[in-house]
Amino acid sequence: MMSFSIKGIQVNFTSGPDIEYWLNQLKLMQMMRECEAPRFLKPFHLATLAHILRQEGVGALALPKKVGDYADTMQLWDALEITSPFGPKNRQAAGRYYPIQLLRDETLIEESADALKELFQSVCDSPETLDGVHTMLRELIGNCFAHSAVKDGLYGVICAQVWQGGRKAQIALCDSGIGIRASLSENALLLEKLQHSNSCDLATEYGITSKPGKGHSGYGLAVARGLLQQNLGMLYVRSGNEVFRVCRGRASSATVADQWAGTLLVIEWDLDNPVDISALYDSFPLPEGADDDDFDF
């Protein structure tokens, strides 16, 4: 008798070229005041669009209805503080999505991390995964406030969505900071490494921080990389003209032509692959002067 098997559906993650194409469209929009809308909006489209349009001081925005309804549900026009062309809408509480949130106040670190954990909870029953998501997001959102240099009180933009049918979730976070290379350059011990390293790749390594001597503070990207490698998901980091991406456990980095001010993170999870942040922390050597209690969560 012959043996047969049917493999589960493989999650398709957002590609680097897809993100770069959209960032190029945003650059075109800044110059021409218009660009092409994608066929299917994801959180990274909306977070970056809100980020750019707030910098431009937009007074009105028109989107095709096929994507405009979703953008309105994700509260794009609210984030831009302009009137939506879709009129008033009775929005239900966030179930499978986390609408665009402007990061203006450090109290939003815990608030946003808690809300995103709750979002994952609707489609994920792994306590270890939920703890990992929560801890990672506290670190990453906290980095926005630690490294941003803001002019209008806005440190960053975040939004997210889960697709239960596709068994995938995406979180997009962009900040108004000085960028990863400039931030790491504040640590004199890293200057030589930065001369021959991709700064986005370097920032995801354990122990790399712009502020040495502060325990595990600033290790958000190392935690994100480690968890996404466990999950076989995708992490995309873009700052300046440098890119780092890890997808299904494979890492790559590149230098691109166009600059991105600040830092953009796109995180995609395979909802069927659990993660264990305790195991990740156990794999990290303790920083000098720290003990095990520093990594309790």
Side-chain angles (χ1 to χ4, degrees):
M1 299 288 289
M2 298 179 66
S3 297
F4 296 86
S5 66
I6 299 176
K7 294 182 178 180
I9 297 174
Q10 189 176 46
V11 176
N12 292 319
F13 293 108
T14 301
S15 71
D18 284 343
I19 298 175
E20 287 302 318
Y21 176 79
W22 175 243
L23 297 186
N24 287 334
Q25 286 297 308
L26 292 180
K27 184 177 180 180
L28 178 65
M29 183 190 66
Q30 287 179 286
M31 295 186 295
M32 307 297 293
R33 297 296 182 258
E34 64 179 15
C35 69
E36 291 184 4
R39 292 182 180 180
F40 182 74
L41 280 178
K42 296 180 180 180
F44 83 85
H45 293 109
L46 294 172
T48 52
L49 180 59
H51 181 71
I52 290 295
L53 289 181
R54 286 193 62 88
Q55 292 177 346
E56 293 292 315
V58 63
L61 172 66
L63 286 179
K65 184 168 175 42
K66 65 178 181 179
V67 294
D69 282 336
Y70 171 73
D72 194 41
T73 297
M74 292 289 278
Q75 301 183 20
L76 174 61
W77 282 270
D78 300 67
L80 297 174
E81 299 178 314
I82 58 177
T83 302
S84 167
F86 294 90
K89 180 180 294 187
N90 292 322
R91 298 189 182 90
Q92 297 180 352
R96 297 289 189 264
Y97 60 88
Y98 181 68
I100 299 170
Q101 176 73 61
L102 304 180
L103 300 175
R104 295 185 181 277
D105 187 292
E106 290 192 50
T107 60
L108 290 170
I109 297 174
E110 288 293 335
E111 182 181 316
S112 296
D114 289 348
L116 286 162
K117 179 181 178 181
E118 186 176 342
L119 176 67
F120 269 68
Q121 214 159 10
S122 67
V123 292
C124 175
D125 58 5
S126 165
E128 292 81 12
T129 296
L130 294 171
D131 284 340
V133 169
H134 190 255
T135 303
M136 176 193 72
L137 288 169
R138 274 199 328 238
E139 289 277 343
L140 294 178
I141 297 169
N143 282 350
C144 288
F145 294 94
H147 302 297
S148 289
V150 299
K151 295 180 180 179
D152 63 351
L154 179 61
Y155 290 85
V157 176
I158 188 170
C159 60
Q161 175 143 17
V162 296
W163 293 274
Q164 188 168 15
R167 305 304 298 155
K168 183 175 69 173
Q170 184 182 104
I171 302 167
L173 172 64
C174 49
D175 69 32
S176 307
I178 60 176
I180 290 176
R181 179 165 289 275
S183 179
L184 293 182
S185 294
E186 294 175 353
N187 182 352
L189 299 175
L190 296 178
L191 292 179
E192 185 175 348
K193 266 190 174 181
L194 284 167
Q195 290 180 11
H196 53 81
S197 298
N198 180 296
S199 68
C200 294
D201 187 347
L202 185 62
T204 66
E205 294 181 10
Y206 174 81
I208 297 297
T209 176
S210 62
K211 298 177 173 62
K214 294 191 176 182
H216 71 293
S217 176
Y219 293 166
L221 281 174
V223 170
R225 178 175 181 168
L227 291 179
L228 268 298
Q229 286 177 321
Q230 283 185 13
N231 177 254
L232 297 179
M234 191 276 289
L235 169 67
Y236 177 92
V237 185
R238 173 77 141 84
S239 184
N241 67 339
E242 296 172 280
V243 178
F244 171 78
R245 184 173 184 260
V246 60
C247 186
R248 303 190 196 282
R250 295 184 177 181
S252 61
S253 58
T255 301
V256 294
D258 295 324
Q259 295 281 333
W260 174 262
T263 301
L264 167 64
L265 305 178
V266 183
I267 296 165
E268 288 187 344
W269 289 79
D270 182 339
L271 296 174
D272 293 322
N273 282 343
V275 299
D276 185 352
I277 197 168
S278 295
L280 178 63
Y281 277 145
D282 287 344
S283 72
F284 287 165
L286 286 176
E288 185 178 350
D291 57 40
D292 290 328
D293 291 338
D294 291 331
F295 289 87
D296 288 341
F297 57 93

